Amino acid sequence: MTNKYSKLALGLVVALPAAFSSVSAYALEAVTLRLAHNLDPSHVVAQTLEKMAEDMKELSDGKMKLRIYPGGQMGGPRETLEMLQQGALDMTKGSASEMESFESAFSVFSMPYLFRSKEHFNQVLFGEVGREMMQLPKEKGFLPIAGYVAGERSFYAGKPIQSPEDMKGMKIRVVSTPTTNKMIELLGGSPAPISFGEVYTALQQGVIDGAENNEPSYYQTRHVEVAKHYSEDRHTSVPDYLVIATQTWDALSEEQREILMKAAEMSEKYEQVLWDKEVQNSREKAAASGATFYKVDKAPFRAALQPLYDDAKKDPKKYSWIERIEAVGK
């Protein structure tokens, strides 16, 4: 592999060499990669992966195929990420939160109000900082090769949450990480790390008082039926990633890697378009189902959560990523 392409592929930058157009698909060896994820086939990322399979097959003249196992057939994200490490699976989808236990740098995405705007988030995820971060787990058995936007997470509950005071004593379901658990505690609530599939019943039965997620998840899971109040505090933006086993990556030829990376780049752009449409569609349908959306003053939430940043300063490695992210676009 040339130094130029090694930098592009392993650095995971968006642009591919112009020489890609000269790659002969007929010189490729046939390969079928197995990809498992826990998403419903209707999910935006699931649709994106199906489209990527089509693109990869077309780019390789049918020599490279993607066999997809959706809906948790091979387990949840932790299980499939571990399968990648073991060489028992080629690819999966993992969120930054799910990869945090494998590579601590991804914990920065759980930091509330780290991103100034959607544009800032995109500049990080698809720019130099985000691409550099994607290289980190390679020696641990897997390598993210594409990043997908997953919106902004906000609180929803059976009552409006418009200030930290409204959260006092509430049990809020979270994706359990040290950062998200501490976030809920600082806001006066109690974190409830129950599985995603149990959230509807837990809200319905009052086991929990609320949850936090983006608009498509809020509507598509029917949580809108049991938690009518969606408060747009937009505390975190946690990306999804397309992840490949290091063993699989190392076994691919240079030409196969080029085709895979081109299809991955195409999938990033396709997913962003689908996601924006899905957010708008979900908001409209949720409102029609009786949901009320609340604009929230973020300042009191940021102030209450400042101790998370004070604690992060005690971890030089983590805080250096935070500083680099904050500097993007300034």
Side-chain angles (χ1 to χ4, degrees):
M1 183 181 294
T2 65
N3 289 336
K4 178 182 178 183
Y5 184 70
S6 177
K7 181 180 179 182
L8 287 167
L10 298 182
L12 297 173
V13 298
V14 172
L16 284 162
F20 173 79
S21 60
S22 66
V23 172
S24 172
Y26 297 102
L28 291 173
E29 291 187 17
V31 62
T32 298
L33 302 178
R34 299 156 301 150
L35 187 157
H37 62 75
N38 67 330
L39 302 172
D40 184 88
S42 64
H43 192 281
V44 164
V45 173
Q47 293 180 54
T48 297
L49 297 175
E50 292 288 349
K51 180 64 165 57
M52 179 181 162
E54 296 173 8
D55 291 335
M56 192 169 73
K57 184 177 180 180
E58 181 178 349
L59 288 167
S60 64
D61 281 352
K63 295 294 183 68
M64 295 184 69
K65 298 178 182 178
L66 198 57
R67 183 176 298 154
I68 300 175
Y69 301 87
Q73 294 180 41
M74 294 191 182
R78 183 171 185 88
E79 288 81 8
T80 54
L81 286 167
E82 289 174 346
M83 289 175 72
L84 262 58
Q85 290 180 309
Q86 298 158 4
L89 183 67
D90 297 307
M91 302 176 77
T92 191
K93 187 281 299 180
S95 75
S97 294
E98 292 155 352
M99 294 199 297
E100 180 178 332
S101 60
F102 298 91
E103 172 49 62
S104 62
F106 289 100
S107 67
V108 297
F109 288 105
S110 295
M111 292 295 289
Y113 303 109
L114 177 60
F115 299 99
R116 299 183 297 275
S117 63
K118 174 182 172 181
E119 292 71 28
H120 178 213
F121 173 80
N122 287 350
Q123 287 176 325
V124 171
L125 181 62
F126 302 114
E128 180 182 348
V129 173
R131 297 311 192 192
E132 185 178 328
M133 188 178 292
M134 287 165 68
Q135 297 179 60
L136 296 177
K138 187 174 189 292
E139 300 306 317
K140 298 178 181 179
F142 56 78
L143 179 69
I145 60 172
Y148 301 130
V149 300
E152 298 163 304
R153 299 177 76 92
S154 292
F155 294 114
Y156 53 88
K159 69 171 188 176
I161 296 174
Q162 297 179 284
S163 70
E165 287 71 27
D166 295 329
M167 292 187 64
K168 292 191 183 302
M170 293 183 70
K171 297 186 292 293
I172 304 293
R173 186 267 175 181
V174 293
V175 177
S176 184
T177 71
T179 304
T180 54
N181 291 339
K182 184 66 173 178
M183 175 181 73
I184 300 301
E185 292 168 357
L186 287 170
L187 293 173
S190 300
I194 65 175
S195 68
F196 190 56
E198 297 175 359
V199 174
Y200 182 97
T201 301
L203 284 166
Q204 187 179 48
Q205 297 179 352
V207 176
I208 58 175
D209 302 302
E212 50 93 48
N213 218 316
N214 53 56
E215 295 96 323
S217 291
Y218 173 58
Y219 174 73
Q220 292 170 2
T221 55
R222 296 171 43 231
H223 293 174
V224 61
E225 297 175 1
V226 288
K228 297 288 188 182
H229 303 276
Y230 190 97
S231 303
E232 299 179 68
D233 66 294
R234 304 191 181 282
H235 46 270
T236 51
S237 296
V238 181
D240 284 323
Y241 290 99
L242 174 61
V243 189
I244 188 169
T246 304
Q247 289 185 40
T248 300
W249 175 263
D250 289 343
L252 295 176
S253 68
E254 178 176 337
E255 292 79 10
Q256 288 170 332
R257 292 182 193 180
E258 287 184 357
I259 288 172
L260 176 60
M261 292 302 295
K262 178 61 177 177
E265 174 198 346
M266 293 167 67
S267 77
E268 289 181 327
K269 296 175 181 177
Y270 182 79
E271 192 268 346
Q272 289 178 67
V273 174
L274 280 189
W275 183 262
D276 288 343
K277 290 180 179 177
E278 191 60 44
V279 169
Q280 184 60 36
N281 185 49
S282 295
R283 288 179 64 90
E284 292 173 359
K285 289 185 175 179
S289 298
T292 301
F293 290 85
Y294 300 86
K295 298 294 183 185
V296 174
D297 180 4
K298 298 176 184 178
F301 288 89
R302 286 196 185 99
L305 296 171
Q306 180 58 40
L308 282 173
Y309 285 86
D310 296 336
D311 288 343
K313 290 179 181 179
K314 301 172 186 176
D315 182 345
K317 179 182 175 183
K318 179 175 181 177
Y319 200 68
S320 68
W321 283 108
I322 291 173
E323 289 183 310
R324 289 183 64 188
I325 287 171
E326 290 179 334
V328 170
K330 286 189 173 179

